[in-house]
Amino acid sequence: PLYRTIDGVKYDRLLLETAESAAARNSGQLSLADVAAIWDDASDGSLTALEKETLSYVLEHFNVSQKASRYLESKLHPRKPGGFFKTVDRVKCDRELLEKAQGFADEGNISEEQAMELWADATDGGPIIDCEVRSLQYILENLSVTVGAETYLRSELKAAAADEVADAPDVVSPNFTPPAASGASPRASASRRSAASTVPETASELA
């Protein structure tokens, strides 16, 4: 059957099974990568009312990480202010990750330890998705980071690009190549970044 009926309400059986399988692999919790993959499965073409109802059920009744919950909520309600995404130079990034990095940079160069914190936030216990890759690229290219921080993040991005990630279109492609490091000392001084490096706001957030 295409449907599963719970408390008299019909849901998409395949989406529920995908969520259940992902939760079983992750000790019962859905990570950002899990939710992104489920969203991609549901929105292949156009999102139906049944699929939207099923995704809302997953959000309410499954153990979803805080980051994954914000992602799915923003996908389901893209016009809601202060959502998961921030559009920078017409590219969608992770709002909170950029703001956390900006906070670190405001206090000086982003350190290697802080870069590790940003990476852990970006991966959310699973494979890294494209949105997080773009966010980390923005951070590397526009904020003040130490050599150690840049080396760490580029190494992690390169390793992630080499990993095989199956059946998750929004997860970073194994063919992804991080931007090459510059020959000069990368953003070693906060003086090399002016106030213009602050993450810009946009007039609207798109799904």
Side-chain angles (χ1 to χ4, degrees), residues 63-109:
N63 181 10
V64 183
S65 76
Q66 183 177 5
K67 190 179 189 75
S69 178
R70 289 192 298 104
Y71 176 92
L72 187 53
E73 181 72 26
S74 287
K75 286 289 192 178
L76 289 169
H77 307 286
R79 302 298 178 184
K80 187 176 181 179
F84 183 91
F85 300 101
K86 178 188 288 286
T87 303
V88 183
D89 297 332
R90 300 184 180 181
V91 176
K92 290 173 71 172
C93 297
D94 177 343
R95 176 186 299 275
E96 287 195 359
L97 189 66
L98 294 187
E99 290 177 351
K100 175 182 281 190
Q102 184 67 61
F104 290 154
D106 287 344
E107 297 176 356
N109 296 336

Side-chain angles (χ1 to χ4, degrees), residues 183-203:
S185 178
R187 301 162 191 83
S189 171
S191 65
R192 296 177 61 183
R193 291 288 178 264
S194 68
S197 67
T198 301
V199 177
E201 295 286 345
T202 58

Side-chain angles (χ1 to χ4, degrees), residues 102-165:
Q102 184 67 61
F104 290 154
D106 287 344
E107 297 176 356
N109 296 336
I110 296 174
S111 68
E112 184 174 356
E113 182 178 358
Q114 290 169 332
M116 294 173 68
E117 184 176 339
L118 292 172
W119 179 260
D121 189 324
T123 56
D124 193 42
I128 191 167
I129 68 172
D130 287 344
C131 177
E132 304 303 298
V133 170
R134 294 191 296 266
S135 302
L136 291 173
Q137 288 177 327
Y138 179 89
I139 290 165
L140 283 169
E141 294 166 4
N142 293 275
L143 301 183
S144 178
V145 301
T146 64
V147 173
E150 178 162 16
T151 299
Y152 172 80
L153 287 177
R154 291 192 187 281
S155 175
E156 292 296 329
L157 285 168
K158 184 176 181 180
D163 288 341
E164 290 293 335
V165 182

Side-chain angles (χ1 to χ4, degrees), residues 34-56:
D34 294 326
V35 167
I38 293 168
W39 171 263
D40 285 331
D41 286 344
S43 60
D44 184 17
S46 60
L47 191 68
T48 66
L50 178 68
E51 289 167 335
K52 186 172 183 178
E53 187 72 30
T54 305
L55 291 171
S56 296

